[in-house]
Amino acid sequence: MEDFTIWTLLTDIAIISALLLVGTAIRAKVKWVQALFLPASMIAGFIGLALGPSGVNILPFSSQFAAYPGLLIAFIFGAVPIGASKVKIGEVFQRVREMLSYSILITVIMWGGGAVVGLLLVGLFFTDINVGFGLVLGAGFVGGHGTAAAIGEAYAKYGWDDAMSLGMTSATIGILVAVIGGIIIIKRNTEKGNTQFISSFKELPNELRTGLIRKEDGRRPIGVETVSSNSIDPLVYHIAIISMVVGGAYWLTDTLESIFPMVAIPLFSVAFIVGLIFQNLMRLFKADKYIDQPTMDKIGGSATDFLVAIGIASINLTVVMDYAVPLIILFVFGILWAYVIFKFIGPNLFEHYWFEKAIFGWGWSTGTVAMGLALLRIVDPNLKSRTMEDYAMAYVGLVPLELAIVTFAPMVFALGFAWTVPTVLLAIAAIVIGLHVHFKLWGFHRT
């Protein structure tokens, strides 16, 4: 492995920054790209994928390039609560209750459904593959490359080394499904009037089509100064805040994992909690008025663009040909299964901004949270639906479930209790749906 230096970091940032600028130019000038409504970050990612190690390999990305998204997503979620105004607990609970239920359903239905299909494939057609094959769907589609690595490492301890490559392949396919399928879904629902912040692809303002804001269209400041530049530059001040929060979250995560080595604690969730604590301390000392939320939002948005571009560019395109047929069957099921979740659960669960939150769910259930965020920014550029904030808060309650799946599911399969995993997961889904129906919390008037 190459030595990772400050100059290696600079090279990675410089390359992906150049690709972001190229992506911006392509979005501004190429009509068919505008028609697809692809963000510059996605365009940059695809160019990086084609020219990087998985393509023609002419871009000198470092060996640590694929590790950046794990850090960037901590900046995104750590910035969410900082500078936010105080809200009523009842209002927050109503929103988070819906998102928590949705998150639980996506998690257990995708993991459980994949496990069932995998067991049926093994039992009926492919008797020579591991019975835990179906977990590849949840690991790659819902979890992404990080979770796929965790599942692969866990299965390797039980003698199934192919799980790592299969998981990475699943995560790669999932991202492509999230992007292509998401754009199609957004275009169709925009035409049907289901979006709240964009009306029609044909009637979109010039700035939303090209990504450029002309002077005559009215340019807006990205924030306001809350501190004097004679003391510290306002942007440096806000970057210092979020960097301190993420650094503290990393230290806390590292400490907890050293105490509980068998538990994988997600950094971005801890970053959100640390950011929330920091914001409340600033409010307690009446210093929160010196934090500008729009500036913090822009920092989070910047991290999102880099995350999406790097995440796509670092995809591993290795195809596991020995598993091609069962993988195709599993992926086809996963796509249809994710669409069922989007089509029938999202509209009936969310009282407000159902499409914005459901399209985020589509991106997450097929191509990780990062892809969900990318699609969300297409239909909700200013994040007015508060979907990201709701998800970050709801994820705190989702952590134990995800940790239990990643930690214990491979073990249960290896011990020979294969059907226990999908049975428990789908039973949880039935309970969540049943509770909503019983208490009449679902809005069945939307179809």
Side-chain angles (χ1 to χ4, degrees):
M1 181 180 292
E2 67 188 57
D3 292 331
F4 188 78
T5 68
I6 189 67
W7 305 115
T8 310
L9 174 64
L10 175 62
T11 300
D12 285 339
I13 295 176
I15 293 173
I16 207 66
S17 297
L19 293 180
L20 284 167
L21 294 176
V22 172
T24 301
I26 292 175
R27 170 66 182 274
K29 297 298 182 179
V30 181
K31 296 297 183 182
W32 70 265
V33 174
Q34 295 175 11
L36 288 175
F37 219 66
L38 288 175
S41 56
M42 284 188 180
I43 301 171
F46 287 129
I47 297 174
L49 179 62
L51 302 182
S54 293
V56 296
N57 197 21
I58 62 175
L59 295 179
F61 292 132
S62 74
S63 60
Q64 297 296 312
F65 187 70
Y68 296 145
L71 176 60
L72 289 169
I73 201 167
F75 275 84
I76 295 169
F77 283 94
V80 169
I82 301 176
S85 57
K86 193 172 183 179
V87 296
K88 297 180 180 179
I89 298 298
E91 176 188 347
V92 172
F93 176 77
Q94 174 67 16
R95 296 199 327 268
V96 172
R97 174 191 59 76
E98 294 176 348
M99 182 58 74
L100 177 59
S101 297
Y102 191 53
S103 299
I104 291 174
L105 288 173
I106 284 178
T107 301
V108 297
I109 289 176
M110 290 299 295
W111 281 92
V116 169
V117 172
L119 287 169
L120 293 176
L121 288 174
V122 173
L124 299 176
F125 305 106
F126 306 97
T127 57
D128 57 335
I129 65 177
N130 193 285
V131 292
F133 172 75
L135 290 182
V136 167
L137 180 66
F141 274 39
V142 182
H145 289 83
T147 303
I151 288 292
E153 184 177 359
Y155 266 125
K157 296 179 181 179
Y158 300 107
W160 189 32
D161 295 329
D162 288 344
M164 181 68 76
S165 295
L166 292 175
M168 291 299 174
T169 302
S170 175
T172 299
I173 296 299
I175 289 178
L176 297 176
V177 169
V179 174
I180 298 173
I183 295 299
I184 294 173
I185 291 173
I186 289 172
K187 290 195 70 172
R188 290 183 59 186
N189 281 270
T190 300
E191 293 170 358
K192 293 179 180 180
N194 289 330
T195 54
Q196 296 295 313
F197 305 106
I198 59 174
S199 55
S200 170
F201 271 75
K202 297 179 180 179
E203 300 175 359
L204 287 175
N206 182 70
E207 66 180 78
L208 291 181
R209 287 185 173 277
T210 65
L212 303 178
I213 302 177
R214 300 173 299 190
K215 286 185 177 181
E216 55 267 30
D217 293 331
R219 295 174 175 174
R220 301 171 294 277
I222 63 174
V224 298
E225 296 184 352
T226 58
V227 293
S228 173
S229 57
N230 289 328
S231 172
I232 183 174
D233 184 83
L235 182 58
V236 172
Y237 171 73
H238 287 82
I239 293 176
I241 290 174
I242 185 59
S243 298
M244 180 189 68
V245 166
V246 173
Y250 175 76
W251 173 83
L252 182 58
T253 301
D254 189 58
T255 301
L256 291 173
E257 289 186 343
S258 66
I259 299 174
F260 307 102
M262 298 301 294
V263 178
I265 301 173
L267 176 61
F268 76 87
S269 186
V270 177
F272 177 83
I273 296 173
V274 174
L276 191 62
I277 294 173
F278 175 82
Q279 175 62 18
N280 279 282
L281 287 174
M282 294 292 283
R283 185 176 292 121
L284 178 64
F285 291 103
K286 302 186 184 304
D288 57 310
K289 58 187 175 183
Y290 297 109
I291 300 176
D292 180 49
Q293 187 179 18
T295 300
M296 295 304 304
D297 290 343
K298 292 302 179 184
I299 293 175
S302 300
T304 301
D305 283 333
F306 276 100
L307 184 150
V308 172
I310 294 173
I312 296 176
S314 61
I315 288 175
N316 182 359
L317 293 178
T318 301
V319 178
V320 186
M321 296 305 299
D322 290 341
Y323 293 82
V325 175
L327 277 177
I328 291 173
I329 296 173
L330 188 66
F331 293 157
V332 169
F333 165 79
I335 295 169
L336 297 175
W337 202 225
Y339 186 74
V340 167
I341 296 173
F342 164 81
K343 182 68 175 180
F344 297 103
I345 294 181
N348 292 311
L349 179 59
F350 294 113
E351 183 177 355
H352 302 292
Y353 307 117
W354 78 263
F355 178 77
E356 287 72 20
K357 295 176 181 179
I359 196 63
F360 167 79
W362 162 265
W364 170 31
S365 63
T366 55
T368 75
V369 174
M371 294 301 101
L373 289 174
L375 294 174
L376 174 65
R377 292 193 68 192
I378 294 177
V379 298
D380 183 12
N382 298 314
L383 302 179
K384 292 183 179 180
S385 66
R386 307 179 77 171
T387 301
M388 190 171 71
E389 178 181 348
D390 293 353
Y391 172 76
M393 298 177 70
Y395 190 77
V396 176
L398 186 64
V399 168
L401 177 61
E402 285 200 335
L403 291 178
I405 294 173
V406 176
T407 303
F408 297 111
M411 181 187 304
V412 173
F413 270 101
L415 292 175
F417 302 100
W419 281 99
T420 301
V421 173
T423 300
V424 171
L425 293 177
L426 296 179
I428 293 174
I431 291 171
V432 173
I433 293 174
L435 287 173
H436 277 278
V437 173
H438 178 72
F439 292 107
K440 298 181 180 180
L441 296 176
W442 286 58
F444 287 107
H445 58 281
R446 283 191 293 266
T447 58

